[in-house]
Amino acid sequence: MRTIKKVAVLGSGVMGSRIACHFANIGLQVLLLDIVPMDLKEEDSKNPAKRNSLVNAALQAALKSNPSPIYKASFASRIKTGNFDDNLVEIKECDWVIEAIVERLDIKQQLFEKVEQYRKLGTLITSNTSGIPINMLIQGRSDDFKKYFCGTHFFNPPRYLRLFEIIPSAYTDKEVIQFFEYYADKFLGKTPVLCKDTPAFIANRVGVFSMAAIFKLQLEMGLSVSDIDGLTGTLIGKPKSATFRTADVVGLDTLIKVAKGVYEYCPNDLARDTFRVPAYVLKMEENKWLGDKTGQGFYKKAVIDGKKVILELDLNTLEYKASEKTKFASVGEAKMVDSLRTRLKILAKGKDKAAEFLNKLNYSIFDYVSHRVPEISDELFRIDDAMKAGFGWDIGPFEHWDILGVESVLTLMKEGGHQPAAWVEEMLTLGNTSFYKIEHGIQYYYDIPSKSYKVVSGKESFIILDYKRGETPIFKNTGCTVHDIGDGVLCVEFRTKMNTIGGEVLEGINKAIDIAEAEGWKGVVLGNNAPNFSAGANLAIVLMQAIEQEWDELNFAVRHFQNTVMRLRYSSIPVVAAPHGLTLGGGCEMSMHTDACMAAAETYIGLVEVGVGVIPGGGGSKEFALRLSDSFGAEDTWIPKLSERFTTIATAKTATSAYEAFDIGIFDHNKDFVVVNPDRAISAAKEKVLELYNAGYTKPVMREDILVLGRTGLAALYAGIASFQVGRYASAHDALISKKLAYVLCGGDLSEPTRVSEQYLLDLEREAFLSLCGEKKTLERMQSVLTSGKPLRN
């Protein structure tokens, strides 16, 4: 198998610079090149800084953008910049050359001609084109160039969107295709999707069709911009930006370009007229209302009566107006349930205008994708994978059709004038009632040529807990499920809203450890396939008990949480966590107490309790004190290190990637690791459990040697808190919370530095947490987060 050590990215625009950053994210050396500025003055023509000014400015703009394209600021040092005139020769040192310049065939071909002069034989060469036919790009190139060339289409932003479309030409070597499928998954953390060389490939072809179908339905049904965005976002498992907000972010000109391209290059597409751009969209293009890049599109910001507001475009008058969302009965009913599958079924059975709109949209999409197999892909699952990884859909169109019932929906589609591809009816006639099925935890898809089910390829090494729903779990309650994930390893899957941690989750964790210890299981994994690992402890229960002054119950609940996280560390079997996405508060505390974390690179983790008026009370404050003690060196470093750890918690600092979590003291280089592909996190955690077990895992001994600084540390921290309060950087309540935190980290009012036990610190932590729960301003902060999702500064 090939090894990639150095990559060249040709073109430093929005895509090129961010692709370069993502390669730097995974540890590679990157050569980022672009043109010498065409308006360079004669006196600057020999100045390297001036000659590289375009590429350097582009890279700096990318690094300053939000969200950041880089896992950690220091990783940018892996990127070397240059220009095509002076530095193209350096591509001979690269294992992979990626072209990401302007979408013009002639310019790309000219660059490839130059590349061939310096590229060493056998080097991978790819284009990030979003739609130019791959076979056209290689006209005039050598046999070796053609053999190792294909399209590799990243989606913007490359760090966050996981789709990696692979588009081979007629000449691409099969080994090259197989390598990219392997490398994209294992190293880039992407979902590789093999595409055919057809206009817009897979994701843009289907995604832009979906948006074009919405434009067409809007004209037919007269729904407003905000109505449609309310119906086509998170309600149905699509991104929060839904339809029109997405168009503003992506740029209306980009969507028009793709739509026109499909219309022009796909004359035999039965739904070709859907891609015909509506008059109001063309008028917006003419007015340069292209979205965020021009300051207005379907939405625009305004100031009315001194208040900042967001106005929406009235698509009939093309004037901006205040948003007025219509209330729909079917939507109200659907919003009452958390399960996406259940919501979709409710909406499909609705009788109002919203349900009619969604059914018409779904039928159009189902019809369209049925006709795209085998045109754009031989396997239907690749279309679903592309839409989920590229457009952020929670479920793909064939999965959606399965949920609603293939046969019943087919009947309704025909009644509505749709005629899906003949193979769908043939599939049903043969007694196959769904596009997918799951057997023994393995997903199969319907293969049209063989008229049978085949295993969905590329996911053999993933542990997908949804595929285990048909199996009898080892244990289950209302908040979590304990699965057998093979080889003697159990997995505790949280199943609450946002995976918050309450009594039922704590029960499940303890039960899993009980079973593992009593029955000879090798270990336990904490992991799930939800968007987020855990948003923390169940704040609503804490608030309710505090308001009702149920102090004994609250004390018991906090102690139970502390005992559970301590059991994660001090059980007789290894416990490994697979955090990803939001891992906040209690979720962070649990992760810190496991024997190891196999964390997805996109893990946003932190102890954020001060935002709701308390300190970490589930072992987090204790654990920071313990790790602080272990980091102490010479005595003159104690106070600076204490201040650093204190500030991390007091400011609710959250890591924006797993790599940053090491820097702020949450992950530990001695036991925690990063997994770039989140789909592999549970599998990696299982492997770590087995590694620890096979190495002869021994139950650790509880610590009683934690050095705390007592009054020495308190004096320094209290002085800092006072100065912040005097400078009005902290309110009186901020100061109170900070003092409670300082008290715990310093081990209390001890006359001199002293060594204490973990239990001593847990008791201090719990006492501070409970006392803050009795404060009115803390209750106000909790209420604000629960009702508005926003922290309150009071």
Side-chain angles (χ1 to χ4, degrees), residues 81-140:
T81 56
N83 64 76
F84 294 149
D85 293 349
D86 304 329
N87 305 101
L88 196 59
V89 64
E90 296 177 38
I91 67 171
K92 65 183 179 182
E93 303 167 359
C94 298
D95 307 297
W96 180 0
V97 178
I98 303 172
E99 171 273 311
I101 61 172
V102 64
E103 284 287 275
R104 269 185 52 181
L105 176 62
D106 57 336
I107 296 178
K108 289 180 186 288
Q109 288 178 329
Q110 290 168 20
L111 179 60
F112 287 144
E113 186 174 356
K114 294 178 181 178
V115 165
E116 192 148 34
Q117 298 175 32
Y118 303 112
R119 166 189 167 271
K120 65 185 177 186
L121 295 178
T123 298
L124 298 171
I125 172 78
T126 69
S127 173
N128 186 59
T129 179
S130 58
I132 295 176
I134 301 303
N135 285 288
M136 293 177 68
L137 289 171
I138 53 174
Q139 290 177 1

Side-chain angles (χ1 to χ4, degrees), residues 253-321:
D253 53 339
T254 301
L255 296 177
I256 292 172
K257 182 179 179 182
V258 176
K260 285 182 174 179
V262 174
Y263 185 85
E264 180 180 352
Y265 294 114
C266 298
N268 298 321
D269 190 324
L270 295 176
R272 186 183 184 216
D273 280 347
T274 301
F275 288 95
R276 194 187 295 273
V277 181
Y280 73 83
V281 175
L282 293 175
K283 186 63 177 177
M284 291 175 66
E285 181 184 34
E286 181 185 326
N287 292 346
K288 292 191 167 33
W289 298 350
L290 304 179
D292 291 359
K293 67 175 73 175
T294 59
Q296 67 187 93
F298 290 104
Y299 296 95
K300 80 169 183 178
K301 295 177 182 177
V303 178
I304 299 178
D305 297 330
K307 293 183 179 179
K308 293 181 180 179
V309 296
I310 296 178
L311 304 176
E312 68 174 74
L313 189 65
D314 184 318
L315 300 180
N316 297 314
T317 65
L318 289 187
E319 295 179 351
Y320 288 92
K321 64 176 185 178

Side-chain angles (χ1 to χ4, degrees), residues 468-775:
K468 293 184 168 289
R469 297 284 170 245
E471 301 176 6
T472 302
I474 301 298
F475 172 82
K476 184 177 182 179
N477 63 20
T478 57
C480 70
T481 303
V482 179
H483 301 275
D484 174 0
I485 56 173
D487 300 315
V489 180
L490 299 177
C491 179
V492 182
E493 177 193 21
F494 304 172
R495 299 280 292 168
T496 55
K497 186 172 184 178
M498 291 291 288
N499 287 330
T500 53
I501 303 165
E504 63 281 270
V505 172
L506 298 178
E507 178 194 17
I509 292 171
N510 281 288
K511 188 69 174 179
I513 296 174
D514 286 342
I515 293 169
E517 290 181 328
E519 299 179 8
W521 294 79
K522 294 176 182 177
V524 172
V525 168
L526 303 184
N528 61 69
N529 300 133
N532 301 298
F533 180 73
S534 174
N538 191 325
L539 185 61
I541 294 176
V542 175
L543 177 60
M544 179 185 68
Q545 290 178 336
I547 290 174
E548 295 180 357
Q549 298 187 25
E550 297 283 357
W551 302 118
D552 288 342
E553 289 188 23
L554 187 53
N555 179 53
F556 174 81
V558 178
R559 188 188 295 272
H560 186 34
F561 198 112
Q562 289 181 335
N563 289 342
T564 300
V565 299
M566 291 295 282
R567 195 163 184 218
L568 293 174
R569 175 168 294 169
Y570 296 111
S571 61
S572 61
I573 45 94
V575 180
V576 177
H580 62 279
L582 292 180
T583 305
L584 304 176
C588 175
E589 289 172 309
M590 283 192 169
S591 299
M592 292 175 73
H593 281 82
T594 55
D595 293 294
C597 284
M598 306 304 289
E602 298 298 343
T603 299
Y604 317 119
I605 187 168
L607 296 170
V608 296
E609 286 84 351
V610 296
V612 292
V614 293
I615 69 166
S621 300
K622 177 274 301 179
E623 187 63 15
F624 256 53
L626 185 155
R627 296 184 182 195
L628 174 64
S629 172
D630 289 346
S631 73
F632 281 153
E635 191 170 333
D636 61 359
T637 67
W638 290 1
I639 297 301
K641 288 186 175 182
L642 170 65
S643 298
E644 182 181 1
R645 296 277 182 167
F646 167 81
T647 301
T648 296
I649 301 179
T651 58
K653 188 176 291 185
T654 302
T656 61
S657 73
Y659 291 99
E660 283 191 356
F662 289 99
D663 294 342
I664 63 175
I666 289 172
F667 287 153
D668 182 346
H669 285 290
N670 294 316
K671 70 180 187 71
D672 301 325
F673 301 87
V674 178
V675 182
V676 180
N677 189 335
D679 290 337
R680 290 184 170 274
I682 296 177
S683 299
K686 174 186 168 182
E687 291 173 9
K688 189 64 179 179
V689 165
L690 294 174
E691 177 189 324
L692 292 169
Y693 174 85
N694 292 329
Y697 183 82
T698 303
K699 179 180 178 178
V701 177
M702 290 186 67
R703 298 282 298 274
E704 297 186 354
D705 61 343
I706 303 164
L707 181 62
V708 291
L709 303 186
R711 293 175 185 170
T712 303
L714 284 174
L717 294 182
Y718 281 3
I721 294 166
S723 66
F724 264 73
Q725 192 173 0
V726 169
R728 297 186 178 180
Y729 296 109
S731 67
H733 194 54
D734 291 330
L736 175 63
I737 300 165
S738 297
K739 286 180 179 178
K740 295 280 187 179
L741 173 63
Y743 193 83
V744 176
L745 292 181
C746 294
D749 188 23
L750 301 173
S751 60
E752 61 183 10
T754 307
R755 294 196 179 272
V756 299
S757 68
E758 286 186 81
Q759 189 58 55
Y760 171 84
L761 289 170
L762 287 169
D763 292 341
L764 284 184
E765 171 189 276
R766 189 174 66 258
E767 180 183 352
F769 182 94
L770 292 169
S771 68
L772 286 167
C773 286
E775 296 287 334

